[in-house]
Structures are given as structure tokens and as C-alpha cells.
Amino acid sequence: MTFNKIETQELPDIQSVGSLYVHEETGAQLLHLANDDTNKAFTIGFKTPPYNDNGIAHILEHSVLNGSEKYPSKEPFVELIKGSLNTFVNAMTFSDKTIYPVASTNQKDYMHLVGVYLDAVFRPKLYTDEQILEQEGWHYHLENADDDLIYKGVVYNEMKGATASPDSQLYDHLSSQLYPDTIYQYNSGGVPKAIPSLTQEEFLDFHTKYYHPSNSLTIVYGDMNISEVFDAIEEYFVGMDKAETIDLSLSVPEPKEKRMEATYSITDGDNPEGKDYLALGWHVLEPSDTLDSYGMKVLDEILFGHNQAPLQKALLDAEIGGDIESDVADIGYPTAFVITAKYAESKNLDRFTEVVEDTLKDIVKNGLNKDLIKAALNKITFQTKEAVISEDNPRGVIYAINALSTWLYDQTPYDRLQFSVYLDELAEKAEQGYFEELIERKLLNNDLRVEIALKAEPGKNDKLEAETLEKLQAYKAELSEEELADIVDKTQALIVRQETPDKPEDLERIPMLTREDMTTDEPDYPLEQSDLFEGTRFYYSEQFTSGIDYVSLYFDISDIDAKAYEQLSLLSDLLGELDTENYDATSLQTELDTHTGGINGTVTIFEDKDGNLKPYFVLNGKALSQSLPKLAELMKEIMTTTSFEDQNEIYKLVQSYISDFENRINFRAHIIAANRALSQVKPLSKLGEHLNGIDQFNYLKTVRDEIKGEGESSISTDLADGLKLLLSKRRFNILYVGDRAQSEQVKTVFTDAFADLPETALAETAQFEAGERHNEAFVTAQDVNYVGLAANARGKLAYTGETQVLSTAFKFDYLWNNIRVKGGAYGSLYLHRRNGNVALASYRDPNITKTLDTYKALPAYVRDLELSESELLKYIIGTLSPLEQPKSAPNRGMTAFSRYQRGITTDDMIQLKTEILDSDSNALSALHQSFEELIKDSTVAVIGNKAQIEKEKDLFDAVYELY
């Protein structure tokens, strides 16, 4: 072994010991975070500074996973996932680095993942296969000489969707203006108009230079034999010399322009009034500024943590924007602090900066409220410590990213892994005016600042798309017949590559687990229950939660009609945000942040095996055990005495919820489309639409307009009446997750707190129906589409181990190859739930009809499916993998409660795993008729580009403007 240990560091905050190693021959460094976590993680990263907007680092991230020397199949990454019990597999491009993280609780599987990733990054096939860049990056696409010439490529289409978001555009403008003449002026993901400039020669040169062991940083995490990892890495490092050191440090220059104005696209014909974005950005940190790094995060919470926070409130009260956001933005080597006003007018940019500066000056002059500082510190400390015990997330990957935030720039990797000492220091320094001084130093007296106005421009994207198409056709017209034929030949050759199955001998090279590595074992999540009030229950799940009590109040709403669910959703969001009987909104937020880990409302609906719905209005709370009485007091205060009289405050909150949904459209529209389609066939999903789908979005806009309208809004009375309806002992149930010794105390404290609730009986159980069936399209200002199709499988396709194995085959074979590889979309979705929900969706998709045709051909794929034993085993393992994901303590408790409500037992889970392991290829293909029936009885919902939807409008019964 030629890795030498150079230092060791105790890291109690993340319950680990850090050891830093250096490789003798190459100088490569490796950080080992040793602990007893069985969810082992491996992350290898490279410094990958962009030199323009062609997206080379991003395209390379995709491309190295398209076959390698040892694993020459087209996409060993996908084949690996099929046959892995991984808990995390991904690759990520940042502004100046690219990382390849994997995680697994199975040691054998873990080493398989490490081996395949190492071969991918150091010995990719892209040097000998130019079609990899064409598929993943871009190519001229012309299937027939008479067709329109277009650009196509996975990253090209991904970035058309990503860069359409005004939030993304604002970030890019901010980075380029604040850091001119640096690598941070470029979009490392790629800008669509620049991506087609990337050549194969540039592509290879970039990999040669930056994917060298000397330029790598590796983080290994968890309970393992580290020597096995060293041996795996050494295979790729042996014989390699030290390469040029890549230095990402910089001296931040003065912005060339302190103010800029640009435009972003909204839907053609949409009214741009009140839809501009305003932003202020400061350069505030560099990697060595450790204490200030934590300080800026706390300051952000102090100034903007909620609507009553001083700077957030000042901007909202001044009506600068309908929604205000802030961010300590990790640009790369530099960090910026950004304030954004959405739903604004560009003409108010001066007023925006004035309010910010005046408010900050007033804070410095008069000092921050000490209780506000204490609350912010408590909130961040609680969140940070809770994250350490959260097995839901791949902690090893998160810690790797945290370590790289300093280590990448030749600083110690430990600073972002030991937070207690810095938070304690901040608490001490706060008494001496640290945060007021931080405001002066980083914001008020900082010339490294820019101001940006991003104006809404109707139809901008459509115009740009038309210009691109026109230029391509002009270019095509200049080509000779031979040159046209060459493009057609290359297009057809790429299609042939995409459609040609991998050689069996290539697939056999990819390591995978065996049947003997699989088990049907299932943890038994405990749930005890006892009587509470008449007809209601106290549920308790014993879990180790490190002294945190998790309490959820479940109010039975089974008698409330569907039409009230839109209001119930808003009501749940408003709880904890408004005045109550004993606290104004500001002091309530301070109390919550000081004494608890948060209190929030939601509406949850369970569906049992027979299709019966069990809806609850839920108030969730969590706090350290010593704060239990205060938690109960605050939950009682919020649930029983919230005032809805302040319609101006409700308006501000509603506007922020609208903004949140629009952000979901930009980044999760495939989920929205799938759920919308499901709402037409499933009563549960229709209620979901009322709660958080397009129905809820439209309801929020109506509430906003009514409050600001000329007439008097009834929203205050409606919400108050809605809350009053919930307050009955007959509705009141409790779920507690935590320590057994605390359970009786929790029951007593909350029973006493809510003892004065009335005993109003519930009305007759409400009946729920699915929505109206018709194919819908929703227009947004995007260049790509999100194509959803859904059906109700009850009575048509049983939920079994075999159907779940097919789900895996759909996701990683049929849909991957047809929607992503050949169709050019960034991704796709398929789900089949135990309750009968079946949905498909595409993500950042250039197609609509072609994608729907792919969905409709699903039964034929099932009919013709012939799997070898090894292929079947891959899908079996890939199907078991999600069932073996680690769960945090509160999630284990929630799982116990959810399974009880849905009538699912441990034996049911064991049976499902047994069926998965016993799956047979012939039995899978025999299900094609069930899928045929399912597809015939499906509905469609599409979110996407206006021009394309209009072009294919015959597909839809109704077309709506979304936003």
C-alpha cells in the first residue's frame, strides 16, 4: 500500500474519527471517516473548472458512465443499479468540481460499486467511442434528409429545462456579475446555445487533464476494512506520476458592473406585470473563513428565518415583492449572500436596496434582539444534531460534500465536520456584538456587491427556440448532399447503437450480488396503542432518538367533504405562522425556535387494502425531552388559538406558497403531472390534488386575488371555522416516537393539555370520488415537457413481487432506453403502489406524442420479455434494494404507524420479498394482457412548452395556462 497516513482528527460531532492519507506516487489525498455506520459511502471527486458555457464538465460526468475498459457495456452504471443493494448512487457536477458518490450497507455490494466507478472515471470508453459525446452531450439529429435539422442530447435537453427557471437564471447572472473573469462566470452545467460548440478534441483533453489521480480527492466513510478500498484505488494509481496541481483559489475582483438588467421568459400572452425578480448579492466568504461561514448561516436565519424576521418583514411590509428569499450561496471557492424579491417590479430596484440598507443600519444601530439570536442558534444546532442521527440520508455522502467545501481549496477537510465548537463560539461572541459587526463587515461596508433586475418577457423562450430552429435550417440549406447524407448516417448509426443490446459477455463482466446474498428478513417496527379519549388512541413507537421527542397530533377528518380540502391544506400551512392568543407571530416564532425543533401542520391520508381512506389533519412537533411541557403548551396554543384576522399576513404567506409551487413546476413537474393524471382515476389522488397539486395552486391564487380585491374576503372567517371544526376529543389521536421511559409522560402531558376540547361527535363519513376523466395539458414557459400517464390497477393488475420486478425492468431498461437514451429526455418515472396507483412520467422531455407512444407500447415489451437467469437476478436485486434502505428513528416510527393504518403487516412485507425472489421470467411476460387493459383505461396529463402543446393539441381534451 502506498497510501501514508499524515494526520488523525477526532470528530465527535459526526461520531467519527478522521484520518487523512496521501498517495506517495501521485500525491492524491484520501480522507477516511471511520465509525460504526453500516451504510458505507465512497466519494471520489475532481477539480473540474469550466472555461466557457459549453457544459463540458457536466457532459463528461454523464459520459464516463457510458462504458469503461473493464466494463465495456453501454451503460454499466445502469446495469450496476439493477443488481445492487445500493443506498445511494449518483454523479454530480458543481461549479468547479465533479463528484462520484456511492453508498451501500452490504460490504460486497459496496466494493462492486467502488470498482465500477473507479474504472469509469479513470478508464472510460469515450476515447474510442465518439457516439458517447453525441448521445450524452449533443449532436445534429436528422433521421431523414427531408426532416428539420435539430439538436439532440441528454444534457442539452436537461439544461433547456434547468436554465428556463428564473431562479437558475438569476443565480447564473449573479455569479457572472459578482465574479467576472473567473471560472464562476460560467455555467458548468452548460447553456443550451453554447453546448453545441463542444468538440470531441476538447472533450478528451478535459478528461486527460482533470481526471488524473493527482487531481482527485476521495472520501471513504463508515464501518469497513479500509485496506480493501486502498487496494481498489491502487489498481488505477499504480504507475501514475504526479500531474500539474490545479489551484482553484482566486483573488475576488471588483464587479465590472454593479447593476444589470436581463429578461426571463413567461408564457406568450401572459401579463408580465408584477412578475419581475430583484436580487442583491454580496461576496461574503472564502474557504478559510470558518467561523464567519457558520456566522452567515445563523445571520441568514436571524434576518430571514420566517416572515417575522426583521429584514424579511421589512421587505414584505414595503411590498417590494410578493415573496422574499435569501441564501448563503456556495458558489465554489467564493460564497455569496443573496436576497431575492419575487413577484416584483424592476422599477423598484432602488427602493429594494434602500429598504435593505436602512433596515440593516437600524439593526446595527439598535442591536439585534438577544432572544432572536438565541432562537436562531438553537434552531441551527437542533437541525445539525438531528441530521447526525438521520439514517434516511446517506450521511457519508453529505459529509463528503461538506469536507470538499474547504478541502478542494487546499484547506483542512474538517472545518465543516465539527460544528459544535463554532456554534458555541458564536453564542459567546453574540454577547459582544458579533452579528451586528458581521452585518457591517459583510453587507453594509462591502463593495463586492451587485444588483440585478430580471424582467418577465412573454414568449421569450418560444422566440429563441424559433431562432435556433431557423438557424439550423439555414445551416442545413448550405450543406451539400454528401454532408447531409453524412449527418443522416451518423444519426442512424447512433440510433442503431442505442437499439443494439449489449453483448452478453460484456454484461457478465459487471459484478453483482447472488441470490445467496439476498434475504427476506424484515425489521419489525414496534407500535403500541392505548385508549386516549372516547374512541381515540395513543400510539407509541419505541425508538432511540437521542433524547428528542417526536409528537404528532392526528385529528380524524373522515367526515369532512372533499371540497374543504383545499382550505384544510392552507390551514395546515398557516399554523405556527400567525398570531395566537398569547403570542404575536414574532414572539411565537422565537418561542418555537428557542424551545423546539419545529411545529408544523399537514394533512395525511392513508388508504387501506380495501381502498378505504383514512384522512387526518396533523400537527407535528419535536423537542428535546426536557422541553416536553413547552412543546405541549405551544402545540396547544397553535392548534386552538391561532388568529386569522390579519389578512395582510395571510396574503404574504399565500404568495410564498404560490412561489414554492412554481418552483416545484421548474424542478419536479414530472411528479405534478403524474399526480394530476392519477387524480382522474383515484379518489385518494384527487384529494392530493386539492391538498398540494394544481387544484391547490389555483385555490391559492384565488385566495390571493380575493384578499387584494375590492370586495371583502371571507378567508379569515372560513379558516377560523375550519379550525374550530377540528377541535374535538372525538377526533384527537396522538403518535409518539421516542424513549419508552418518556411515553407515559407524553401521554399525560398532552392529555392534560387538550382536556378542555369539546366532545363534538363526527358527522357521517364523507364519500370521495376521483376527478373528471379527460386528457389535460398545462402550458408553462419551458422549452421541454413533462408527460404523465396514470391508471388505477385495482382489479386489473395485482401488486405482487412479480409486478415490482417488472417495475424495475421498466425503469432501468424500457423507459431508460426509450425515453432517455433514444428520446433525449433527462429522465423518466414509473410507479406501481400497493393501493393500485400506476403512473408514468418523463422529465425534461423534448417529446410528447413519441413519449405517449412509448408508454402505450409497454404491454408489447412485457409480452416479448425474455430474461436470462442473470438478467432476471439483476432485476430481483434492484427491486429488493429500495426495501432495504436505512430509516431514521422518527421514520421507523412513522412507518410503523403508516403500516398499521393501511393494514400492512411484517408478514406482508416478508411475503412481498419472497415473491420478488421467486419471480419467473415466463410469469412476468404473462402479465402483458393486464398491462394492456391498464393502458387502455389510462388518462394523460402533460406540463410543458406552449408551442409544442399547441402543435399536438389533438391529444388533449383541455389545455390550460398553468403560469
Side-chain angles (χ1 to χ4, degrees):
M1 182 186 81
T2 53
F3 278 95
N4 297 321
K5 184 187 293 188
I6 56 176
E7 65 181 35
T8 298
Q9 175 85 35
E10 293 287 336
L11 300 168
D13 283 345
I14 62 168
Q15 301 168 4
S16 303
V17 175
S19 298
L20 191 59
Y21 296 81
V22 64
H23 188 254
E24 285 182 3
E25 291 85 350
T26 66
Q29 294 186 62
L30 181 146
L31 175 64
H32 178 209
L33 299 174
N35 50 61
D36 60 2
D37 192 347
T38 58
N39 192 14
K40 296 167 280 291
F42 171 92
T43 301
I44 186 164
F46 302 90
K47 299 175 183 179
T48 53
Y51 54 85
N52 63 24
D53 288 322
N54 65 10
I56 190 168
H58 185 192
I59 295 169
L60 196 54
E61 172 231 302
H62 282 241
S63 299
V64 298
L65 302 176
N66 277 247
S68 62
E69 183 180 294
K70 194 182 289 187
Y71 309 108
S73 62
K74 288 183 294 184
E75 292 186 286
F77 166 72
V78 179
E79 297 299 326
L80 186 67
I81 295 175
K82 292 178 187 175
S84 167
L85 290 176
N86 73 85
T87 56
F88 190 87
V89 175
N90 210 334
M92 307 173 193
T93 302
F94 294 79
S95 60
D96 54 10
K97 64 179 176 284
T98 306
I99 67 171
Y100 297 86
V102 298
S104 179
T105 57
N106 182 294
Q107 175 67 21
K108 181 179 176 182
D109 186 47
Y110 174 75
M111 292 310 301
H112 289 169
L113 295 165
V114 170
V116 172
Y117 260 39
L118 285 171
D119 206 63
V121 298
F122 288 115
R123 298 173 185 170
K125 272 175 58 179
L126 52 86
Y127 283 89
T128 57
D129 187 351
E130 294 187 5
Q131 289 180 321
I132 292 175
L133 172 58
E134 292 172 4
Q135 175 180 293
E136 296 300 323
W138 78 277
H139 65 274
Y140 289 117
H141 193 85
L142 191 68
E143 296 186 23
N144 302 289
D146 294 334
D147 293 345
D148 282 342
L149 181 66
I150 60 172
Y151 293 129
K152 209 167 186 181
V154 172
V155 171
Y156 178 78
N157 283 319
E158 175 191 353
M159 296 312 295
K160 283 177 72 175
T163 57
S165 158
D167 297 85
S168 297
Q169 292 180 40
L170 203 59
Y171 177 94
D172 288 346
H173 289 311
L174 177 102
S175 189
S176 63
Q177 293 298 115
L178 202 50
Y179 305 107
D181 301 325
T182 74
I183 61 173
Y184 303 108
Q185 68 184 312
Y186 305 119
N187 184 330
S188 63
V191 175
K193 68 179 181 181
I195 288 173
S197 69
L198 177 61
T199 66
Q200 177 75 4
E201 183 181 7
E202 289 176 281
F203 192 52
L204 300 184
D205 288 347
F206 195 88
H207 183 271
T208 300
K209 181 174 183 178
Y210 295 112
Y211 280 64
H212 188 281
S214 301
N215 191 42
S216 69
L217 294 169
T218 302
I219 302 94
V220 180
Y221 168 92
D223 184 9
M224 72 185 69
N225 180 355
I226 188 64
S227 63
E228 284 190 61
V229 179
F230 285 141
D231 291 344
I233 294 174
E234 181 62 20
E235 179 182 345
Y236 297 91
F237 285 14
V238 66
M240 300 291 287
D241 296 326
K242 286 186 180 179
E244 172 192 355
T245 300
I246 309 299
D247 184 5
L248 295 176
S249 63
L250 58 89
S251 178
V252 177
E254 283 274 347
K256 293 179 180 178
E257 298 178 3
K258 297 285 188 177
R259 176 175 289 201
M260 77 159 293
E261 185 175 288
T263 64
Y264 79 96
S265 183
I266 58 176
T267 306
D268 188 25
D270 197 3
N271 182 1
E273 186 178 347
K275 294 179 181 175
D276 298 341
Y277 281 60
L278 307 177
L280 281 174
W282 294 262
H283 166 68
V284 292
L285 298 167
E286 295 177 12
S288 59
D289 300 328
T290 304
L291 182 65
D292 283 350
S293 174
Y294 286 98
M296 286 303 301
K297 290 176 183 175
V298 176
L299 182 62
D300 184 29
E301 179 63 35
I302 292 170
L303 298 177
F304 292 98
H306 45 78
N307 272 12
Q308 307 310 314
L311 194 43
Q312 179 91 356
K313 179 175 173 56
L315 287 166
L316 288 172
D317 287 349
E319 298 185 348
I320 297 298
D323 187 28
I324 306 296
E325 294 182 354
S326 64
D327 184 29
V328 181
D330 183 5
I331 304 294
Y333 180 89
T335 296
F337 185 66
V338 188
I339 305 171
T340 304
K342 300 182 178 182
Y343 302 102
E345 295 282 356
S346 60
K347 64 184 180 183
N348 290 330
L349 183 56
D350 286 335
R351 176 69 177 140
F352 177 41
T353 60
E354 179 186 330
V355 172
V356 170
E357 290 172 357
D358 288 351
T359 305
L360 291 175
K361 288 175 181 176
D362 185 65
I363 288 172
V364 170
K365 178 182 178 182
N366 297 308
L368 283 162
N369 183 308
K370 298 300 182 187
D371 289 340
L372 192 60
I373 298 174
K374 180 182 176 183
L377 281 165
N378 179 76
K379 183 175 182 178
I380 289 176
T381 301
F382 190 102
Q383 290 172 345
T384 311
K385 290 184 176 180
E386 188 180 32
V388 173
I389 62 167
S390 176
E391 297 96 326
D392 288 352
N393 300 311
R395 290 175 289 189
V397 176
I398 294 170
Y399 297 152
I401 294 172
N402 290 345
L404 287 168
S405 67
T406 52
W407 194 22
L408 195 76
Y409 314 108
D410 304 318
Q411 303 289 321
T412 171
Y414 305 123
D415 281 348
R416 303 301 191 269
L417 303 176
Q418 43 190 8
F419 50 83
S420 291
V421 62
Y422 296 109
L423 292 174
D424 289 345
E425 186 176 353
L426 288 175
E428 291 179 12
K429 285 180 174 290
E431 297 297 325
Q432 286 81 50
Y434 168 83
F435 288 104
E436 290 85 353
E437 183 269 337
L438 191 66
I439 290 172
E440 285 190 293
R441 180 161 45 92
K442 297 296 185 181
L443 304 180
L444 288 175
N445 300 329
N446 182 358
D447 291 332
L448 298 178
R449 166 182 137 169
V450 295
E451 304 167 5
I452 299 172
L454 191 62
K455 299 179 67 174
E457 180 182 336
K460 179 182 179 180
N461 281 358
D462 293 338
K463 294 172 193 171
L464 293 175
E465 192 71 9
E467 288 174 9
T468 299
L469 186 62
E470 185 179 341
K471 288 178 182 177
L472 281 168
Q473 303 332 302
Y475 170 71
K476 179 187 175 188
E478 296 173 355
L479 298 175
S480 66
E481 288 187 12
E482 291 78 10
E483 289 170 326
L484 270 178
D486 182 57
I487 294 178
V488 172
D489 289 346
K490 285 185 175 180
T491 301
Q492 292 299 333
L494 183 58
I495 292 172
V496 169
R497 177 189 186 273
Q498 293 166 343
E499 293 180 343
T500 302
D502 284 306
K503 297 175 183 177
E505 58 268 29
D506 289 344
L507 292 175
E508 288 172 6
R509 293 193 189 190
I510 299 169
M512 59 186 258
L513 300 173
T514 66
R515 283 185 182 270
E516 289 67 36
D517 296 313
M518 302 298 103
T519 176
T520 60
D521 293 346
E522 174 69 15
D524 188 18
Y525 300 114
L527 185 71
E528 301 175 19
Q529 54 179 297
S530 58
D531 291 337
L532 194 59
F533 298 123
E534 183 180 346
T536 66
R537 309 292 283 169
F538 177 81
Y539 299 93
Y540 158 59
S541 179
E542 181 181 6
Q543 301 289 343
F544 174 71
T545 56
S546 293
I548 299 175
D549 291 335
Y550 293 89
V551 181
S552 297
L553 310 181
Y554 279 80
F555 292 84
D556 184 343
I557 55 173
S558 57
D559 60 329
I560 297 179
D561 292 336
K563 62 184 180 182
Y565 275 60
E566 291 168 355
Q567 180 183 296
L568 282 173
S569 179
L570 175 58
L571 175 60
S572 71
D573 288 336
L574 292 174
L575 293 184
E577 303 285 349
L578 301 170
D579 295 349
T580 63
E581 183 177 305
N582 296 302
Y583 300 97
D584 60 32
T586 303
S587 58
L588 178 63
Q589 289 293 336
T590 302
E591 288 290 296
L592 289 172
D593 291 344
T594 302
H595 299 288
T596 79
I599 295 174
N600 66 280
T602 188
V603 178
T604 297
I605 308 168
F606 301 101
E607 183 173 8
D608 68 18
K609 294 178 180 179
D610 298 321
N612 299 312
L613 301 185
K614 301 178 181 180
Y616 293 94
F617 186 97
V618 188
L619 190 67
N620 298 301
K622 55 188 174 183
L624 296 174
S625 294
Q626 60 264 33
S627 298
L628 176 65
K630 191 67 175 181
L631 178 66
E633 174 204 315
L634 289 171
M635 293 180 79
K636 168 71 178 299
E637 177 82 13
I638 289 168
M639 191 68 206
T640 62
T641 74
T642 293
S643 169
F644 302 98
E645 292 304 312
D646 189 346
Q647 291 198 4
N648 188 47
E649 190 62 32
I650 292 174
Y651 174 85
K652 297 173 189 175
L653 290 162
V654 166
Q655 188 67 69
S656 72
Y657 305 151
I658 292 170
S659 176
D660 290 343
F661 189 88
E662 289 177 351
N663 201 45
R664 283 172 55 203
I665 293 170
N666 287 322
F667 296 100
R668 294 179 60 82
H670 61 309
I671 305 293
I672 298 172
N675 287 338
R676 181 69 181 190
L678 277 168
S679 74
Q680 299 180 22
V681 295
K682 291 280 295 183
L684 172 66
S685 299
K686 183 58 182 176
L687 291 179
E689 269 294 292
H690 291 320
L691 293 170
N692 50 40
I694 292 173
D695 287 351
Q696 173 67 192
F697 180 55
N698 290 333
Y699 167 75
L700 291 173
K701 289 189 291 184
T702 299
V703 170
R704 176 194 62 188
D705 294 344
E706 286 181 354
I707 292 175
K708 282 299 181 182
E710 293 183 3
E712 185 175 342
S713 172
S714 64
I715 191 64
S716 296
T717 302
D718 294 343
L719 289 167
D721 290 345
L723 183 60
K724 184 178 179 181
L725 180 62
L726 298 175
L727 301 179
S728 168
K729 289 180 181 176
R730 302 287 185 90
R731 299 186 186 277
F732 186 79
N733 302 272
I734 300 174
L735 169 65
Y736 167 63
V737 180
D739 186 70
R740 175 173 292 278
Q742 183 81 344
S743 62
E744 283 303 317
Q745 177 72 2
V746 170
K747 182 178 180 180
T748 299
V749 167
F750 276 87
T751 302
D752 291 346
F754 287 87
D756 58 352
L757 289 182
E759 297 197 21
T760 311
L762 275 67
E764 185 177 339
T765 301
Q767 301 300 310
F768 305 112
E769 296 181 355
E772 179 187 354
R773 293 190 62 140
H774 60 300
N775 295 333
E776 298 176 297
F778 297 88
V779 171
T780 63
Q782 298 215 15
D783 294 330
V784 289
N785 308 293
Y786 307 85
V787 183
L789 180 145
N792 183 358
R794 282 190 183 274
K796 302 181 186 72
L797 182 71
Y799 180 91
T800 65
E802 289 173 342
T803 59
Q804 293 311 290
V805 171
L806 272 177
S807 297
T808 304
F810 295 159
K811 286 183 279 192
F812 295 115
D813 181 20
Y814 181 73
L815 294 174
W816 182 277
N817 288 324
N818 288 283
I819 301 295
R820 179 186 168 100
V821 175
K822 289 190 280 187
Y826 182 55
S828 60
L829 168 152
Y830 175 84
L831 62 84
H832 178 194
R833 302 286 188 231
R834 191 180 287 270
N835 67 354
N837 284 8
V838 170
L840 299 103
S842 62
Y843 185 68
R844 292 178 179 166
D845 188 351
N847 311 299
I848 297 178
T849 298
K850 185 176 180 180
T851 296
L852 289 172
D853 288 343
T854 299
Y855 296 163
K856 292 170 185 175
L858 201 62
Y861 168 79
V862 177
R863 181 195 63 213
D864 299 335
L865 193 63
E866 293 183 11
L867 298 175
S868 67
E869 182 58 32
S870 62
E871 288 173 323
L872 177 61
L873 180 56
K874 279 184 185 177
Y875 291 134
I876 287 172
I877 296 170
T879 305
L880 286 170
S881 181
L883 301 176
E884 304 295 341
Q885 298 291 305
K887 288 182 172 66
S888 66
N891 195 4
R892 290 194 293 271
M894 188 62 240
T895 298
F897 183 67
S898 173
R899 287 183 180 177
Y900 171 77
Q901 291 289 332
R902 293 182 293 142
I904 298 169
T905 65
T906 301
D907 287 343
D908 290 332
M909 299 304 299
I910 293 172
Q911 180 183 341
L912 178 65
K913 291 182 177 181
T914 302
E915 291 172 357
I916 291 169
L917 281 168
D918 292 343
S919 292
D920 170 80
S921 181
N922 292 330
L924 297 183
S925 60
L927 292 169
H928 72 91
Q929 289 182 330
S930 296
F931 278 96
E932 221 165 275
E933 187 179 350
L934 203 63
I935 295 297
K936 285 179 181 177
D937 197 29
S938 62
T939 60
V940 170
V942 172
I943 297 171
N945 175 262
K946 182 175 184 178
Q948 196 163 357
I949 286 173
E950 287 182 348
K951 183 179 178 182
E952 303 180 49
K953 63 184 178 182
D954 291 344
L955 293 169
F956 309 108
D957 300 310
V959 176
Y960 308 97
E961 297 278 342
L962 190 53
Y963 94 101

